[in-house]
């Protein structure tokens, strides 16, 4: 994803500071993604590895939940 993951943004690795409205939008997007996986997906998916490195951010700062981590 072009804006990396949430951990990189919160740490300032990318040199970008997130304003409060963007942070809230990211949190809501991640929550909606997890709700979909846990409640609406068929079959239901329990993520079991929710962390900031598994929340990816697209070009419009929308959160995308990565299902499988490539790192521990």
């Amino acid at each position: 994803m072009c804006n990396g993951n949430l951990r990189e943004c919160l740490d300032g690795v990318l040199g970008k500071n997130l304003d409060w409205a963007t942070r809230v939008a990211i949190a809501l997007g991640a929550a909606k993604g997890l709700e979909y996986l846990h409640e609406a997906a068929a079959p239901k998916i329990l993520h079991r590895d929710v962390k900031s490195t598994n929340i990816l951010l697209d070009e419009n700062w929308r959160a995308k939940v990565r299902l499988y981590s490539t790192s521990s």
Side-chain angles (χ1 to χ4, degrees):
M1 289 283 179
C2 67
N3 282 317
N5 65 50
L6 182 57
R7 177 79 268 151
E8 293 169 337
C9 290
L10 294 175
D11 285 345
V13 171
L14 302 176
K16 300 174 185 174
N17 290 321
L18 300 177
D19 61 24
W20 184 247
T22 302
R23 289 173 185 243
V24 170
I26 290 168
L28 288 173
K32 287 177 184 179
L34 290 170
E35 177 190 28
Y36 173 80
L37 292 174
H38 292 187
E39 300 296 330
K44 295 179 191 239
I45 300 168
L46 297 179
H47 193 286
R48 297 176 52 176
D49 194 24
V50 179
K51 57 187 175 183
S52 57
T53 55
N54 286 335
I55 306 298
L56 305 177
L57 303 170
D58 73 5
E59 62 277 355
N60 295 312
W61 298 99
R62 287 184 302 234
K64 309 293 181 184
V65 178
R66 178 174 26 194
L67 287 180
Y68 301 103
S69 176
T70 57
S71 62
S72 54

